[in-house]
Amino acid sequence: MKYLQYFSGISLLLLLTACSTEAPDYQGTWKNTLENPQLENSLVIAKNGDNYFITNTLKDKATGKTEKKNPVPASVGKSGFLQVNAGAGMVDFAIDEKTGNLVGSGSIYKKAKYSFKQ
């Protein structure tokens, strides 16, 4: 009987740890993979406690001028997706495990090896 309880307990622990997957770390600069001849679009995602701030940045390729939109708060939902309230509804972002790219809002973002200066 003790063996049955022991194995039941181990099975329950394994099941609980399998269900509690840790969300990926979304912070960094993510460059939009959609090529635009005039603008370079990136998302700068910064950690803020347990949540994040997302700043959309647009860089004019001709002048080098960078425009930053106001930071928008985001949080990780139960699904592990980074969720942003876009006014009309929630927008989910996720990191594709195969490519490492950030996918969301109809776009694909690749982690940049650089970051915009603050």
Side-chain angles (χ1 to χ4, degrees), residues 24-65:
D25 185 13
Y26 291 97
Q27 64 184 333
T29 300
W30 298 87
K31 183 180 175 192
N32 195 331
T33 59
L34 178 65
E35 286 296 323
N36 182 326
Q38 299 167 341
L39 294 174
E40 183 178 305
N41 171 235
S42 296
L43 297 178
V44 178
I45 302 176
K47 192 113 169 120
N48 183 34
D50 290 337
N51 297 311
Y52 293 88
F53 278 119
I54 299 178
T55 305
N56 189 16
T57 59
L58 299 171
K59 182 177 180 181
D60 186 311
K61 290 181 178 179
T63 65
K65 181 181 175 194

Side-chain angles (χ1 to χ4, degrees), residues 86-99:
M90 296 301 278
V91 175
D92 290 337
F93 289 90
I95 296 177
D96 183 338
E97 291 178 0
K98 290 182 181 179
T99 63

